[in-house]
Amino acid sequence: MSQWSQVQQLEIKFLEQVDQFYDDNFPMEIRHLLAQWIESQDWEAASNNEAMATILLQNLLIQVDEQLDRVSQEKNLLLIHNLKRIRKLLQGKYHGNPMHIAVIISNCLREERRILAAASMPVQGPLEKSLQNSVVSERQRNVEHKVSAIKNSAQMTDQDVKYLEDLQEEFDFRYKTIQSLEQSDKNSALIKQEMLALQAMLNTLDYKRKEVLSKIGRVIHEIDTLMSNMLTEELLDWKRRQQIACIGGPLHGGLDQLQNCFTLLAESLFQVRRQLEKLDELLTRLTYDGDPIPLQRPQLLEKVNFLLYNLFRNSFVVERQPCMPTHPQRPMVLKTLIQFTVKLRLLIKLPELNYQIRVKATIDNKCNFFHSNRRFVLCGTHVKAMNMDESANGSLSVEFRHLVKAYASGGKRGLKNPKHNTALPLSSAAFTFCIRSFHQTSSLPVVMISNVSQLPNAWASIIWYNLSTNDPQNLSFFNNPPAATLSQLLEVLSWQFSSYVGRGLNSEQLNMLAEKLMVSYNDYQLSWAKFCKEHLPGKSFTFWVWLEAILDLIKKHILPLWIDGYVMGFVSKEKERILLKDKTPGTFLLRFSESNLGGITFTWVDQLENGDVTFHSVEPYNKGRLSALPFADILRDYKVIMADNVPENPLKYLYPDIPKDKAFGKHYSSQPNEGWAPFLYLPFLLNDSTDPHSPSDLLPMSPSVYAVLREHLSPTVIETAVCCKLFHS
């Protein structure tokens, strides 16, 4: 079943999440019509390879053309219209930047996998629950409702101002008419009656002026209350959701809804300001003792300008945090002299602002919680104009592309490593973006590295910081890093797998990780040192380095098997034996090595003639061995010399009882060669001892065994097989 077919079977709450990240950048119609073709392409590789991205974009347009031909024959007018529009959009938007659509499609597919993984989890974690809190959702609806009501109130007040203007014009006309009469005519009874009518009209004008000012005051008060409370909370929640999404959490949505709210409020405030300007105009034509306009208008106008200032200031946000295109799943980790991008948006979308707002980018070297003596300088365009042309939804935004150079504090720029291939210490900084020197916003802290070998520890720092605090510039954070709640940390670790390799961790796998950290669920807290600094007991590496190596192994060598759920992975040796002991001989499971970085092994259960159960494990396969042959092929072709000197594959059923070929058949890269087996192991390795093999295990094979080998294998393969050995990993 295709990934898209699985997505369509999700519950409505998960489908709503999917709906959030499909827009004109990558329309859902294309995802639906070309589901299998899209899933069969390597979009992630293309996101870092312009030539490959160009070919994929061309092929995508060809696929769209083929769909157009098909629907044209079916005379589906609506679909024909939509496909023509989409094709034009795709070609126009990505012709000059094909890698951009590769990034978008790669992100969409990865987010689908994350949602599928979340849907398969029995319980949501505490962080994801908080992000989908019903109270928060209710507040979002309330904000949208109140903004709509404020907009309607401002429009109704417009009608009141227009009525007041018409009434005053009538008063002016009638009053000037009387003023133009001769003095003798003014004493007539008819004129006196008209003067009484004008006095009544003036009273009405006074009442209407007070009424309009009161309505304007209420609109201003409602905007002030909304901005001070619910809208501020909504913006802070969005920023927190962005933090969580940056470390692998659910895709943060809601920015378009916030933009709609900010824009409507700005339109309402500008509308109110025009109303106050109209009242000032009316004041110049008519005033009187006790006139409310000169008494109230200045304070109201001052409040409107103050609210507009705050609205603009808060509407300036970092839409996409700094990220290297080469590592889209590791935002906020930047390598010196490697380009990164960052995108900003003004949430007030008004056509008259297009290309009128210029943004200046700077780097804040004071935001360094590692206290390194390195300083950084931006290379690239520092000032750009915000516009509506760079975003598919027409938002007012700007994207910067920069390089960062490092230099020592007080030293020369372009600092080099003192030793070849030796990374300098981690440093951190933040980027500041300024509009006309008074509207300013900052990115989240970024970690600067000088060597890719530093990326795992830098990413661990990003995870810990954004998990533990929502303060964008907590400079003392790593002086004394706070402990993390175990349940939240395990949830974030599961996100690393769902976002990076397409499938999160279940409760049993997370339990094993908790045991690995030597923390029980009852302890609740985990220190930064235990997570990333202290070596695991008896090992030469930390927990995080071990986990990061597993992520890299999955990504590069066993990704399809992991996504299908066939790699149990995180299971201890003790639990492994409990699971296998009552199973059919030949049942095996796949787990990650606890002693080797980036290794995967398999263990199968066997039964001796006396009925005793025995277990066998192989030496872990690392990236070097898996680069030579796919892991599925290894499982298919693995053989040992049994007691009757016949090569046989002992792997029959994937735990709990899935026939091996049913589980892995679709992942085999080729048909096996019946003449010989590339992985053949000898009977002296079939023992159940947990101790290292003794020299007696390595005695020369018997002539009969050697004769069997000569029948099936070449001398080179025999030598390779003899060099391989089993051990308990």
Side-chain angles (χ1 to χ4, degrees):
M1 182 185 296
S2 70
Q3 181 173 305
W4 184 246
S5 298
Q6 296 176 56
V7 167
Q8 291 176 288
Q9 295 178 8
L10 291 172
E11 296 179 21
I12 186 65
K13 64 178 181 179
F14 294 109
L15 290 176
E16 288 173 353
Q17 295 179 43
V18 174
D19 183 59
Q20 289 181 0
F21 53 85
Y22 281 106
D23 52 24
D24 282 347
N25 285 321
F26 180 40
M28 189 180 287
E29 294 97 322
I30 296 300
R31 177 68 181 98
H32 179 76
L33 290 171
L34 304 179
Q36 291 187 338
W37 181 82
I38 287 170
E39 292 171 29
S40 66
Q41 311 305 310
D42 192 347
W43 298 100
E44 184 165 350
S47 66
N48 297 311
N49 185 320
E50 186 167 3
M52 184 178 180
T54 302
I55 294 172
L56 278 182
L57 176 59
Q58 292 172 349
N59 290 340
L60 176 63
L61 295 175
I62 291 172
Q63 293 288 327
V64 174
D65 287 337
E66 291 178 358
Q67 290 296 322
L68 258 173
D69 292 340
R70 181 182 63 79
V71 299
S72 296
Q73 295 174 4
E74 298 172 0
K75 298 181 179 179
N76 188 331
L77 183 60
L78 179 61
L79 194 53
I80 292 172
H81 172 80
N82 287 341
L83 284 177
K84 285 183 177 179
R85 178 185 63 82
I86 290 170
R87 192 195 189 287
K88 183 178 180 181
L89 183 148
L90 293 175
Q91 187 167 26
K93 187 173 180 62
Y94 301 113
H95 176 71
N97 188 9
M99 291 170 62
H100 187 41
I101 191 171
V103 170
I104 291 172
I105 296 179
S106 175
N107 289 341
C108 287
L109 294 174
R110 185 174 65 253
E111 189 60 19
E112 285 179 9
R113 292 194 294 269
R114 188 202 63 75
I115 292 173
L116 287 169
S120 66
M121 294 289 284
V123 180
Q124 284 182 316
L127 281 172
E128 190 155 358
K129 280 184 179 178
S130 68
L131 296 176
Q132 299 177 3
N133 190 303
S134 60
V135 175
V136 174
S137 300
E138 184 64 26
R139 189 182 65 230
Q140 291 171 346
R141 288 190 290 270
N142 286 339
V143 168
E144 293 174 0
H145 174 74
K146 287 183 178 295
V147 167
S148 180
I150 287 170
K151 182 66 175 175
N152 289 335
S153 296
Q155 290 174 341
M156 293 296 291
T157 306
D158 248 5
Q159 297 178 19
D160 291 331
V161 172
K162 183 66 170 66
Y163 174 78
L164 183 60
E165 184 181 17
D166 292 342
L167 186 63
Q168 183 167 318
E169 285 181 356
E170 183 183 352
F171 177 86
D172 284 345
F173 175 77
R174 292 171 67 174
Y175 181 77
K176 289 177 180 177
T177 300
I178 291 177
Q179 290 296 104
S180 66
L181 295 176
E182 297 293 335
Q183 186 63 36
S184 58
D185 295 334
K186 293 181 181 179
N187 295 325
S188 67
L190 185 61
I191 296 302
K192 289 181 179 180
Q193 186 177 354
E194 179 67 10
M195 290 295 291
L196 290 174
L198 283 174
Q199 183 61 52
M201 187 177 289
L202 184 61
N203 292 340
T204 303
L205 276 172
D206 181 64
Y207 173 79
K208 285 296 182 182
R209 284 187 173 188
K210 291 177 179 176
E211 183 182 51
V212 167
L213 287 166
S214 176
K215 288 184 176 180
I216 289 175
R218 284 199 297 271
V219 170
I220 293 172
H221 177 72
E222 289 171 1
I223 293 175
D224 188 15
T225 302
L226 184 63
M227 286 175 55
S228 302
N229 298 313
M230 289 192 288
L231 193 62
T232 299
E233 291 179 15
E234 277 294 290
L235 187 59
L236 290 175
D237 279 351
W238 177 84
K239 290 181 178 180
R240 182 58 179 159
R241 291 198 299 271
Q242 184 189 51
Q243 272 190 287
I244 296 301
C246 283
I247 57 175
L251 189 72
H252 65 291
L255 195 58
D256 288 342
Q257 291 88 333
L258 273 175
Q259 175 180 280
N260 185 56
C261 292
F262 271 81
T263 302
L264 289 177
L265 286 180
E267 289 174 347
S268 298
L269 284 169
F270 280 122
Q271 194 169 16
V272 167
R273 193 162 73 173
R274 287 193 298 270
Q275 292 164 2
L276 290 171
E277 290 170 353
K278 176 57 71 174
L279 290 180
D280 187 52
E281 181 184 326
L282 295 178
L283 176 67
T284 60
R285 288 153 48 187
L286 174 66
T287 188
Y288 48 87
D289 291 339
D291 188 348
I293 293 179
L295 295 175
Q296 299 181 37
R297 179 186 169 278
Q299 291 87 346
L300 292 174
L301 184 59
E302 183 181 1
K303 186 67 174 177
V304 167
N305 289 335
F306 176 75
L307 291 175
L308 275 170
Y309 172 82
N310 281 331
L311 191 68
F312 269 87
R313 185 185 65 184
N314 291 325
S315 72
F316 189 38
V317 299
V318 180
E319 179 178 354
R320 188 172 65 243
Q321 293 292 332
C323 183
M324 296 186 293
T326 52
H327 295 81
Q329 289 134 355
R330 296 291 186 266
M332 298 177 293
V333 176
L334 307 181
K335 184 179 180 297
T336 52
L337 300 181
I338 296 294
Q339 188 184 69
F340 73 90
T341 65
V342 58
K343 186 176 182 181
L344 297 102
R345 188 197 289 200
L346 194 72
L347 298 178
I348 297 173
K349 179 185 173 182
L350 299 175
E352 53 267 34
L353 298 178
N354 197 24
Y355 287 101
Q356 299 304 308
I357 298 177
R358 298 179 69 79
V359 180
K360 181 179 180 180
T362 57
I363 190 164
D364 184 1
N365 284 293
K366 297 188 298 295
C367 184
N368 193 338
F369 41 62
F370 295 111
H371 303 289
S372 165
N373 67 340
R374 288 201 298 167
R375 294 294 180 264
F376 304 95
V377 61
L378 285 175
C379 303
T381 304
H382 288 65
V383 180
K384 293 184 71 175
M386 304 192 86
N387 64 83
M388 298 179 178
D389 301 330
E390 294 186 19
S391 295
N393 60 359
S395 61
L396 194 62
S397 61
V398 62
E399 184 171 353
F400 286 92
R401 293 178 174 85
H402 284 292
L403 300 177
V404 176
K405 286 186 178 180
Y407 62 95
S409 180
K412 295 181 178 180
R413 295 185 180 183
L415 180 69
K416 302 293 184 180
N417 289 351
K419 297 179 181 179
H420 185 62
N421 289 334
T422 300
L424 292 164
L426 292 181
S427 301
S428 67
F431 299 100
T432 301
F433 305 93
C434 190
I435 300 176
R436 299 175 186 170
S437 301
F438 61 92
H439 292 315
Q440 182 173 304
T441 190
S442 295
S443 72
L444 292 167
V446 299
V447 176
M448 308 298 303
I449 62 175
S450 55
N451 191 298
V452 291
S453 64
Q454 295 174 305
L455 197 148
N457 281 339
W459 181 239
S461 302
I462 292 294
I463 289 175
W464 204 267
Y465 186 92
N466 289 284
L467 170 64
S468 305
T469 180
N470 53 12
D471 183 350
Q473 294 189 346
N474 186 350
L475 302 186
S476 62
F477 182 84
F478 278 103
N479 287 345
N480 184 24
T485 303
L486 179 61
S487 58
Q488 290 186 344
L489 179 62
L490 291 176
E491 183 180 11
V492 172
L493 293 182
S494 180
W495 289 344
Q496 303 313 297
F497 284 82
S498 59
S499 64
Y500 194 62
V501 291
R503 186 182 184 88
L505 305 180
N506 59 34
S507 56
E508 288 79 12
Q509 292 168 323
L510 292 174
N511 274 328
M512 188 271 186
L513 292 183
E515 293 169 3
K516 189 80 174 174
L517 289 163
M518 299 182 70
V519 178
S520 70
Y521 275 105
N522 294 327
D523 291 334
Y524 293 112
Q525 299 289 318
L526 183 75
S527 69
W528 163 248
K530 188 174 283 291
F531 177 69
C532 191
K533 296 294 184 183
E534 299 173 359
H535 286 179
L536 290 169
K539 304 295 188 295
S540 60
F541 46 81
T542 66
F543 170 83
W544 174 250
V545 168
W546 172 73
L547 198 69
E548 179 78 6
I550 289 172
L551 281 165
D552 189 61
L553 173 80
I554 295 173
K555 184 73 171 179
K556 295 179 179 177
H557 300 291
I558 58 170
L559 186 61
L561 279 61
W562 174 260
I563 290 176
D564 284 350
Y566 292 144
V567 180
M568 185 173 292
F570 297 103
V571 55
S572 66
K573 296 177 186 177
E574 295 75 16
K575 183 65 178 294
E576 176 185 67
R577 296 194 171 201
I578 293 172
L579 295 174
L580 290 174
K581 68 178 182 179
D582 296 326
K583 293 299 178 181
T584 305
T587 301
F588 67 100
L589 56 78
L590 311 177
R591 67 175 176 86
F592 300 121
S593 173
E594 297 182 62
S595 55
N596 292 54
L597 285 177
I600 185 170
T601 182
F602 49 86
T603 299
W604 72 91
V605 62
D606 200 1
Q607 194 171 44
L608 301 178
E609 292 182 359
N610 62 6
D612 289 343
V613 172
T614 183
F615 306 91
H616 308 286
S617 298
V618 298
E619 181 178 359
Y621 292 87
N622 56 25
K623 60 183 180 181
R625 299 173 71 186
L626 294 174
S627 297
L629 196 65
F631 193 47
D633 287 3
I634 292 174
L635 297 173
R636 177 194 63 191
D637 298 332
Y638 183 86
K639 287 183 172 63
V640 296
I641 297 294
M642 306 305 288
D644 54 359
N645 294 334
V646 176
E648 184 178 331
N649 191 325
L651 310 178
K652 306 299 183 184
Y653 302 97
L654 178 68
Y655 180 88
D657 54 7
I658 308 172
K660 180 186 63 180
D661 290 341
K662 181 178 180 181
F664 302 109
K666 66 179 180 180
H667 302 300
Y668 296 155
S669 64
S670 61
Q671 292 300 316
N673 188 326
E674 297 299 334
W676 60 279
F679 290 88
L680 188 145
Y681 298 86
L682 305 182
F684 61 76
L685 302 169
L686 296 175
N687 64 72
D688 192 33
S689 171
T690 57
D691 298 323
H693 296 290
S694 65
S696 62
D697 289 327
L698 305 177
L699 292 174
M701 66 188 75
S702 66
S704 59
V705 171
Y706 184 72
V708 173
L709 290 178
R710 287 293 301 270
E711 288 182 17
H712 295 279
L713 304 173
S714 67
T716 302
V717 175
I718 293 175
E719 182 179 356
T720 301
V722 171
C723 291
C724 295
K725 61 179 181 292
L726 281 165
F727 84 114
H728 292 265
S729 172

